[in-house]
Amino acid sequence: MVGDAQLDAAAGFDPLRPKLMRVAYRMLGSVADAEDMVQEAFIRWMGADRSAVREPEAFLRSTVTRLCLDQLKSARRQRETYVGPWLPDPVVEEEPEEDVTLPLMLALERLSPLERAAFLLHDVFGLSFEEVATTIERDAAACRQLAARARTHVREARPRFQVEQQRGLELAEAFFTASRSGDLKTLGAMLASDVSIHADGGGKRPAAMHPILGFDAVLGVHEKLAVAFRTQTSTLVRAGFINGLPGFVTREADGELQSTALDIVDGKVVAIYIVRNPDKLVHLH
């Protein structure tokens, strides 16, 4: 009987796992940490008095959110000693995510853990403030204030419009071709005047220690890279949407993967986000 109950509990949990991963990943920005939080929620679910749980999804979402809030405290300490710019783990999908794009995830990093939770649960996942209050153990009025403060901070990071899917993929592939072939004229025509590069090597692979800002500086970097690409291969693995932005995954000359995501506004690339830290690319192998 105990074995049957455990099997039933696992069977009830598995369909909810993708939703719980979405919550955890958007809270933490780390695939591995999100998987750990969801697995811990599963362990707690297996040991809980499930007969007293009226809504398993709400119970598990609350469990995952609280685990993430605890994790964020240690994550913030780790970020303080992180080498170079920090970017969220790249999640590659066939279609663009519309709720939380990479620039918005970076904006969420500036929020307190409770502000982030209130904003995501209400504005992104559509929970009522009463449900948010139950989840993060604050009253509904406090949750409204948390979400309002968060909204003010992230307003500018929300996309004004989504790049049409096929157009986004075409721009990503054109960017890859121009940047690797050294076609600086074509590449330059794709860049906005205030374009920037943000590269996350985590101190484990070469990457710029600070964002590279402005058209001339960004084009200058690609001019130098074009020389290297003549002898050091960079192979396209796949194009897709990385954290909601058009982009691509490549295998570089050192054999490691790299992801490149492009923030595109009015047909111009305004930001280039490159993840080179191998720890953040393990799940893409």
Side-chain angles (χ1 to χ4, degrees):
M1 292 292 291
V2 173
D4 290 344
Q6 296 292 79
L7 287 173
D8 288 343
F13 184 93
D14 286 343
L16 298 175
R17 190 180 288 272
K19 291 183 179 180
L20 298 174
M21 270 296 296
R22 283 169 63 84
V23 173
Y25 172 71
R26 281 156 178 73
M27 285 284 290
L28 302 174
S30 164
V31 172
D33 287 346
E35 289 173 342
D36 287 346
M37 297 305 101
V38 172
Q39 187 60 25
E40 177 61 27
F42 174 70
I43 292 170
R44 296 189 182 193
W45 174 243
M46 297 297 280
D49 178 8
R50 293 180 297 279
S51 64
V53 178
R54 289 184 299 173
E55 298 182 31
E57 182 174 344
F59 173 86
L60 289 166
R61 184 174 54 237
S62 294
T63 301
V64 166
T65 301
R66 290 169 189 159
L67 288 168
C68 288
L69 288 172
D70 290 339
Q71 176 67 17
L72 280 172
K73 296 172 186 176
S74 62
R76 288 197 162 214
R77 289 194 293 271
Q78 293 168 11
R79 304 271 166 84
E80 290 172 1
T81 59
Y82 195 81
V83 178
W86 179 92
L87 295 176
D89 292 5
V91 173
V92 186
E93 297 172 307
E94 297 299 326
E95 297 184 359
E97 273 291 342
E98 296 184 358
D99 55 3
V100 182
T101 61
L102 197 155
L104 181 54
M105 291 187 72
L106 290 175
L108 293 177
E109 284 293 304
R110 298 194 292 269
L111 306 179
S112 72
L114 285 174
E115 287 171 341
R116 187 189 306 205
F119 175 82
L120 285 171
L121 292 173
H122 180 266
D123 286 40
V124 175
F125 295 109
L127 273 65
S128 69
F129 281 118
E130 287 70 24
E131 292 174 296
V132 177
T134 300
T135 299
I136 66 174
E137 300 178 320
R138 296 292 189 278
D139 62 45
C143 291
R144 286 190 180 88
Q145 291 181 335
L146 287 167
R149 286 203 298 269
R151 227 171 276 129
T152 300
H153 287 296
V154 305
R155 186 175 292 122
E156 291 303 314
R158 305 219 64 165
R160 290 183 286 279
F161 59 87
Q162 288 292 125
V163 177
E164 191 273 323
Q165 182 174 344
Q166 188 56 40
R167 179 59 179 155
L169 291 175
E170 289 171 355
L171 287 169
E173 292 183 17
F175 185 95
F176 168 80
T177 300
S179 61
R180 269 53 180 181
S181 67
D183 185 353
L184 298 181
K185 181 178 180 180
T186 297
L187 188 66
M190 300 179 68
L191 303 178
S193 60
D194 58 348
V195 64
S196 58
I197 297 176
H198 309 261
D200 180 343
K204 300 189 176 185
R205 292 176 74 200
M209 292 295 293
H210 302 283
I212 297 165
L213 308 176
F215 179 93
D216 291 340
V218 169
L219 200 62
V221 166
H222 281 94
E223 186 174 9
K224 293 176 182 177
L225 287 174
V227 175
F229 287 139
R230 290 173 192 160
T231 56
Q232 302 174 21
T233 59
S234 175
T235 307
L236 181 66
V237 175
R238 64 179 291 198
F241 290 88
I242 299 174
N243 302 110
L245 301 181
F248 47 86
V249 177
T250 53
R251 188 170 300 279
E252 298 302 309
D254 59 2
E256 296 284 357
L257 294 180
Q258 172 178 304
S259 71
T260 302
L262 307 174
D263 192 6
I264 298 171
V265 176
D266 295 331
K268 297 283 188 179
V269 176
V270 299
I272 304 163
Y273 298 100
I274 301 169
V275 175
R276 291 175 52 78
N277 184 343
D279 295 344
K280 297 187 173 189
L281 299 158
V282 171
H283 62 284
L284 297 182
H285 284 271

